[in-house]
Amino acid sequence: MPMLELQDVHAYYGNIHALKGISLTVEEGEIVTLIGANGAGKTTTLRTISGLLKPRQGKVYLEGEDLDQYKAHEIVYKGVAMVPEGRGIFAKLTVAENLDMGAYSRRDKKGIAEDLERVFELFPRLKERRNQVAGTLSGGEQQMLATARALMARPRLLLMDEPSMGLAPVLVEDVFDRIMEINHEGTTILLVEQNAHMALQVAHRGYVLQTGEIVLGDTADGLRQNPMVQKAYLGME
Amino acid sequence: METQARFNWRDNFRLGLLAAVVALSLCAIGVVGTFAQRDIIGGVVSLGHVFLFGAALGGGYLAAHRDADGGTGRALLGGAFIGFLSSLPLVVLALVAEPFHLRQFLPNVSPELLEMLTLGQGQMPGLLILVAVVTVLGLVGVGMARLPSHVRRPLLTGLGVVFLIGLLSETIALAWGSHGLGLRIRRFMFASKGLSIPGVLVVFAAATGLNVWWNTQGSRVRQRVAALPPRRQQVLRWGGIALGILILLILPFLLRRYLSEVIVNVGLYILMGLGLNIVVGFAGLLDLGYVAFFAIGAYTMALLTPSEYGVANLSFWTALPFCVLAAVLAGIFLGVPVLRMRGDYLAIVTLGFGEIVRILVLSDFLAPLIGGAQGILKIPNASIGGLEIVHPEHLYYLVLAGCLLAFFVSWRLRDARLGRQWMAMREDEDVAEAMGINLVRTKLLAFAIGAAFSGMSGAIFAAKLSSVFPHSFSLMVSINVLCLIIVGGIGSLPGVVVGALALVGLPELLREFAEYRLLMYGALLILMMLARPEGFWPSEVRKRELHTESAPTGGGSPIGSA
Ligand SMILES: Nc1ncnc2c1ncn2[C@@H]1O[C@H](COP(=O)(O)OP(=O)(O)OP(=O)(O)O)[C@@H](O)[C@H]1O
Ligand SMILES: [Mg+2]
């Protein structure tokens, strides 16, 4: 049974038809990437999975369980955490308070302390700056914080929305290294990216989204070889 | 550098004009005249003088403050110029007032005001002295700004304390009693109105001295305390708390009846403020109809006890939980339709809710049930073991108990899960939701708990007055409560107390304020936003938020640049 499965999902904003029948699967332990141009519906797909937006048609299954019956905050308790687009950290709170908020859905004090150690190992920069107000962090640090905060919920499925947005190339590589590391530690990841080049390097499989529809799905290698992907998303002629 | 060295006519002219406009309008709307009755230093300086001359002083201070690295000579020139300029309109006012019968249009330009402007010296010499005095005040303002801060701070503290004690001398003098040593101290310190000259000297010396002592020795004391073993520190802390509680407990004996009455009113507002602080400060939901819950608490008390319109025969204590419950239900009732609203929309809808409740209790339609405009009389007082709580000294304990309960609940909630949910929701609703926070529950809990405190306040209010009238529940109450938490510091618990003392307590003591209450609020809010936007006693998060540039850390580890 796949960790996550979307079956013919249609989603709307008012009468804007944003997702026109998305079907995809993510197996446990995988990194799956979703690439596509601006406005293709990548963020919308993640919002539908995390319950912030309800599909008007179609189903979202988490380990075989229909998520339709759950509200957004309940889905977090099911082990799905999101690193939102544009980072979405609490700018006025400190790094430590942000991380604390991330563990909000949990009650095991000991586990939380362990995970705090773990994310500080993963992002030593955050440890140095644990008392800094998050809004004053650099862009890259804010991205680290957003990721670290999502990890504090100890998710089984991590949804990441464009973690490389606005970062310098060196930092982008760093972020993707961390993503692989998180994955190695056992977290399944669905990664939305515009930076197809990097995304296809770390992912096992990928889907290409175009104006609300999946036009292609393959292994990462397969997608990299695909002439259409090469032309449209990898900038090769 | 060239421009630096020259006298900045434009800035000084602007400040002088501003000071003139302030002084002139304070005269014209009657503030100066009204407060001339309230002596700060008996027979010498009244609050009216402070309003009349404050502008020139402030103008000089601001000018010197802005041009902080200019030469002293130039700054003094600027101050004198500003003072001189701001005195001219006052002179003109005094000269034209009688020949042009200004009083017809400006009723506040009274002979008393003119007398004040001429300093009681007759027109020509008086006005000349006025110009001189105001000019000198401009200079004094500059001097204040130019003093090194270790001199300025004690001086300003001394002046501030003299001002406050002088302002409240009427009530403070009463507290010394009317015989024995108390009377002698009172005669020494106070004139028939305001402080006496020796009183001023004593107060000023004490306040200044204490400030100097704290500035020089304070850090050492703090270090000494920090060096104590943790056990001793704990003892010290609990000792402090116990002392505070002891003072709270004996307060009515110190304050006597009139002041107790004032404190009871302040306490009712503190209770409301703590409630609204949860809604606005913790959860970030702007609620302008907060008075509705106060009204619902009061009317529930009226209806459940054997009053004129009572439908049940409960005692105060049995009715109280129902009042709180009614307010809570109303809070949820208001909360549900506004769940999806944010910011401005929320403010407008809650404003409407408050008005609807007020209009309902005022309506003829409901009058047969709840008395309409006549209100409800004969609500029984609260009683404990047969003792009726009628006097403010006794009511005080009732209100104190309510406030302590609300304070404790707020304080515990702030640091609990719910408090974190509110904080997350206030910062960013979308992210909060994505993090597993149930927004519906979190919002409704904020409205419900906030309403509960207000309902309790209303219930005590009804029992205190033995009656309720619709006009006690106007929009003004909501605005008062909102202002007091803004002035105290949004989201801060001690801030609510400070805000209530300043915005409810002070005007009660200075009855003349009543007429200018809104004006004072407006002026105070503007000044606060300019000078101290985080409030008098801000919460940690607000403090950080408004001073991030200067102090990026919340304490703890140093930040390297990476
Ligand atoms: N709140 C909204 N209301 C109306 N339309 C929306 C809303 N959010 C997104 N849309 C529309 O839905 C479509 C998909 O948007 P989405 O945010 O999913 O794109 P995306 O693939 O994440 O793009 P990007 O790479 O720029 O982030 C777009 O046409 C967008 O304009
Ligand atoms: Mg997007």
Side-chain angles (χ1 to χ4, degrees):
Chain A
M1 187 191 308
M3 178 104 198
L4 176 76
E5 183 171 8
L6 270 66
Q7 282 181 1
D8 191 33
V9 167
H10 290 257
Y12 292 78
Y13 292 107
N15 47 19
I16 299 172
H17 198 168
L19 298 185
K20 303 166 185 161
I22 302 276
S23 298
L24 58 81
T25 56
V26 180
E27 299 291 338
E28 179 155 11
E30 273 190 316
I31 302 182
V32 173
T33 183
L34 199 57
I35 55 182
N38 290 114
K42 306 181 295 292
T43 301
T44 309
T45 307
L46 294 191
R47 286 173 60 87
T48 320
I49 297 168
S50 56
L52 294 169
L53 193 69
K54 285 288 168 194
R56 202 174 282 182
Q57 191 191 321
K59 295 281 185 202
V60 181
Y61 295 102
L62 186 73
E63 297 184 311
E65 194 181 10
D66 187 353
L67 288 185
D68 192 44
Q69 50 183 317
Y70 297 113
K71 302 243 170 59
H73 60 90
E74 291 164 334
I75 291 174
V76 178
Y77 288 85
K78 296 256 154 215
V80 180
M82 174 141 92
V83 183
E85 187 175 24
R87 304 191 186 107
I89 50 161
F90 295 111
K92 294 171 198 162
L93 306 186
T94 63
V95 169
E97 284 166 342
N98 264 279
L99 293 175
D100 208 31
M101 288 281 184
Y104 165 78
S105 60
R106 301 167 52 182
R107 286 172 188 278
D108 55 322
K109 283 227 170 81
K110 201 161 141 257
I112 293 175
E114 277 169 25
D115 283 3
L116 195 63
E117 279 313 304
R118 201 186 82 170
V119 301
F120 279 152
E121 253 167 56
L122 207 54
F123 302 107
R125 189 81 74 85
L126 293 181
K127 189 170 188 173
E128 285 166 30
R129 290 161 182 268
R130 62 202 302 170
N131 292 316
Q132 187 170 338
V133 176
T136 63
L137 293 173
S138 79
E141 290 161 350
Q142 293 190 10
Q143 182 60 53
M144 291 174 200
L145 178 58
T147 309
R149 195 187 54 195
L151 288 178
M152 288 302 293
R154 197 180 275 186
R156 285 178 304 142
L157 174 63
L158 184 63
L159 309 175
M160 303 186 82
D161 198 348
E162 300 202 31
S164 74
M165 191 163 65
L167 299 188
V170 225
L171 273 179
V172 172
E173 249 172 76
D174 201 54
V175 165
F176 280 98
D177 283 347
R178 295 289 161 262
I179 292 175
M180 289 219 277
E181 214 169 314
I182 293 164
N183 179 247
H184 282 312
E185 286 175 17
T187 310
T188 309
I189 297 176
L190 177 58
L191 172 68
V192 158
E193 260 304 335
Q194 295 225 24
N195 188 339
H197 185 70
M198 288 300 296
L200 289 175
Q201 264 180 20
V202 301
H204 302 103
R205 290 188 302 114
Y207 294 90
V208 177
L209 199 58
Q210 242 171 40
T211 54
E213 284 172 295
I214 298 229
V215 292
L216 210 57
D218 203 347
T219 61
D221 280 333
L223 287 177
R224 262 193 306 218
Q225 309 300 328
N226 186 302
M228 190 278 271
V229 175
Q230 287 187 345
K231 188 151 171 273
Y233 301 103
L234 296 175
M236 296 187 226
E237 281 305 316
Chain B
M1 277 294 102
E2 180 63 25
T3 50
Q4 280 278 310
R6 244 188 270 133
F7 184 70
N8 190 341
W9 286 103
R10 238 183 60 191
D11 265 14
N12 284 317
F13 190 73
R14 208 183 293 156
L15 276 171
L17 219 55
L18 186 69
V21 169
V22 170
L24 201 59
S25 31
L26 287 178
C27 286
I29 61 175
V31 173
V32 171
T34 311
F35 291 109
Q37 305 305 319
R38 174 133 336 233
D39 281 10
I40 290 173
I41 304 173
V44 184
V45 179
S46 75
L47 187 54
H49 287 114
V50 173
F51 281 116
L52 182 59
F53 297 132
L57 201 65
Y61 185 89
L62 271 184
H65 195 71
R66 275 189 197 171
D67 181 26
D69 30 46
T72 308
R74 194 177 75 198
L76 285 174
L77 185 63
F81 176 70
I82 289 170
F84 178 71
L85 194 63
S86 72
S87 72
L88 295 184
L90 298 176
V91 171
V92 174
L93 180 72
L95 288 177
V96 300
E98 286 199 355
F100 288 87
H101 303 293
L102 270 194
R103 198 147 190 216
Q104 286 175 340
F105 330 106
L106 296 170
N108 291 312
V109 183
S110 58
E112 292 78 33
L113 180 72
L114 297 178
E115 166 96 9
M116 210 173 145
L117 286 177
T118 52
L119 303 159
Q121 305 291 322
Q123 203 173 57
M124 259 313 127
L127 287 179
L128 285 179
I129 299 175
L130 176 75
V131 172
V133 167
V134 177
T135 309
V136 168
L137 282 173
L139 284 171
V140 172
V142 172
M144 274 292 180
R146 279 305 159 90
L147 284 174
S149 77
H150 67 271
V151 181
R152 181 177 59 216
R153 231 183 297 157
L155 263 182
L156 282 180
T157 310
L159 287 177
V161 173
V162 167
F163 175 72
L164 258 184
I165 293 190
L167 201 59
L168 303 178
S169 54
E170 210 173 23
T171 23
I172 296 178
L174 277 182
W176 289 104
S178 51
H179 45 258
L181 184 64
L183 182 65
R184 258 193 270 156
I185 295 180
R186 173 175 160 187
R187 289 243 169 95
F188 176 73
M189 297 283 290
F190 297 98
S192 61
K193 283 161 95 190
L195 278 165
S196 67
I197 300 284
V200 170
L201 294 178
V202 170
V203 171
F204 183 78
T208 317
L210 264 178
N211 192 281
V212 170
W213 178 80
W214 183 249
N215 287 344
T216 50
Q217 306 290 320
S219 58
R220 200 182 308 162
V221 173
R222 240 174 289 153
Q223 266 168 21
R224 195 94 69 71
V225 172
L228 285 176
R231 282 279 295 283
R232 294 279 297 281
Q233 276 188 47
Q234 200 125 30
V235 169
L236 217 60
R237 181 155 346 119
W238 281 108
I241 292 177
L243 186 70
I245 290 179
L246 186 73
I247 291 178
L248 280 179
L249 284 179
I250 60 167
L251 204 57
F253 299 100
L254 302 176
L255 294 179
R256 319 216 167 167
R257 181 146 304 167
Y258 172 59
L259 273 187
S260 296
E261 167 84 33
V262 172
I263 287 290
V264 165
N265 286 338
V266 171
L268 290 175
Y269 268 94
I270 290 178
L271 204 45
M272 279 196 274
L274 287 171
L276 190 61
N277 186 52
I278 286 183
V279 183
V280 180
F282 289 177
L285 306 162
L286 184 52
D287 181 353
L288 294 183
Y290 192 62
V291 65
F293 308 120
F294 184 63
I296 286 167
Y299 269 90
T300 308
M301 179 56 75
L303 291 178
L304 291 183
T305 50
S307 68
E308 267 187 332
Y309 290 86
V311 292
N313 208 357
L314 304 183
S315 74
F316 172 83
W317 295 105
T318 14
L320 187 61
F322 290 102
C323 299
V324 173
L325 186 70
V328 165
L329 290 180
I332 294 171
F333 177 77
L334 167 69
V336 169
V338 301
L339 277 175
R340 304 201 146 270
M341 294 179 189
R342 294 180 188 188
D344 321 359
Y345 298 102
L346 179 63
I348 291 171
V349 172
T350 52
L351 183 77
F353 178 72
E355 282 299 283
I356 288 172
V357 169
R358 188 180 65 83
I359 289 169
L360 275 181
V361 295
L362 196 57
S363 69
D364 292 337
F365 171 64
L366 287 178
L369 296 175
I370 57 173
Q374 306 302 315
I376 301 179
L377 304 174
K378 303 207 188 96
I379 302 170
N381 291 112
S383 62
I384 293 181
L387 172 75
E388 289 227 334
I389 307 180
V390 186
H391 296 310
E393 302 93 304
H394 303 149
L395 267 166
Y396 168 86
Y397 291 103
L398 187 59
V399 176
L400 178 68
C403 287
L404 286 180
L405 178 71
F407 205 93
F408 183 74
V409 170
S410 300
W411 173 56
R412 297 301 301 178
L413 282 181
R414 187 191 59 192
D415 298 335
R417 273 169 75 77
L418 187 55
R420 286 197 289 157
Q421 293 175 25
W422 283 331
M423 178 155 77
M425 186 171 78
R426 181 186 69 209
E427 299 300 321
D428 192 326
E429 283 194 12
D430 298 323
V431 181
E433 192 177 16
M435 238 155 33
I437 290 172
N438 182 346
L439 289 184
V440 172
R441 190 171 146 268
T442 309
K443 273 192 191 179
L444 289 184
L445 274 173
F447 277 121
I449 297 173
F453 294 166
S454 188
M456 180 153 61
S457 186
I460 299 176
F461 178 74
K464 166 181 178 265
L465 292 183
S466 306
S467 55
V468 287
F469 299 103
H471 69 77
S472 310
F473 308 108
S474 68
L475 174 62
M476 203 49 212
V477 178
S478 297
I479 292 180
N480 275 348
V481 180
L482 190 63
C483 283
L484 77 86
I485 61 178
I486 292 175
V487 166
I490 291 183
S492 149
L493 298 179
V496 172
V497 179
V498 174
L501 283 172
L503 289 194
V504 182
L506 270 187
E508 293 262 354
L509 295 180
L510 307 169
R511 281 285 165 196
E512 308 95 303
F513 264 108
E515 207 175 321
Y516 300 103
R517 198 174 187 134
L518 280 176
L519 181 73
M520 294 294 162
Y521 278 16
L524 185 65
L525 283 180
I526 292 175
L527 282 180
M528 288 284 300
M529 290 308 119
L530 288 175
R532 207 178 154 83
E534 70 273 30
F536 279 126
W537 194 318
S539 68
E540 276 305 314
V541 177
R542 291 280 296 171
K543 221 188 305 186
R544 264 194 334 239
E545 174 189 335
L546 288 155
H547 295 281
T548 338
E549 308 93 296
S550 47
T553 46
S557 68
I559 305 167
S561 53

